[in-house]
Amino acid sequence: MAVGFEKFGITILEGYGLSEASPILTVNRAERPKIGSVGPAIPGVTIRIDGSGENGVGEILASGENIMAGYFGKEEETKKVLVDGWLRTGDLGWIDSDGHLHIVSG
């Protein structure tokens, strides 16, 4: 989709986040965007892939000061998504050699 917009001189900078991460984790930078990725982690955020197979695809985990403390009044739900300081997003992806995150549809 971003390729179509660039034909008209419009740059699309894709990113990724969720409300549990206040709300952004990664974003492409204007100086070096990578179409098809959602960019590298923003400053202060660490992204890693858990349970990756041969193709490098696994669950996206995030850590940083912007990650929520937990779901209000929902201790059991919080324990499922916050494990050892990492937010288990439930989303699948992989990280390329430039540190850009790629989301994979389930």
Side-chain angles (χ1 to χ4, degrees):
M1 179 190 243
V3 174
F5 281 96
E6 287 194 343
K7 291 179 186 177
F8 298 104
I10 300 170
T11 301
I12 303 292
L13 299 174
E14 297 172 277
Y16 168 72
L18 19 116
S19 56
E20 291 88 345
S22 299
I24 192 163
L25 295 168
T26 69
V27 68
N28 270 292
R29 310 308 198 269
E31 62 275 5
R32 61 178 190 107
K34 185 178 275 193
I35 294 174
S37 84
V38 291
I42 64 169
V45 169
T46 303
I47 300 290
R48 72 179 176 116
I49 304 299
D50 186 48
S52 62
E54 281 184 36
N55 58 4
V57 173
E59 183 180 5
I60 301 166
L61 275 58
S63 177
E65 290 186 17
N66 63 323
I67 303 298
M68 69 171 182
Y71 296 117
F72 182 74
K74 297 185 177 185
E75 187 176 330
E76 289 306 310
E77 286 87 345
T78 297
K79 286 180 183 177
K80 292 176 186 175
V81 298
L82 293 178
V83 180
D84 297 326
W86 291 90
L87 172 65
R88 301 190 70 87
T89 68
D91 295 325
L92 297 177
W94 59 280
I95 299 172
D96 68 24
S97 61
D98 292 325
H100 284 70
L101 178 64
H102 297 258
I103 305 295
V104 176
S105 57

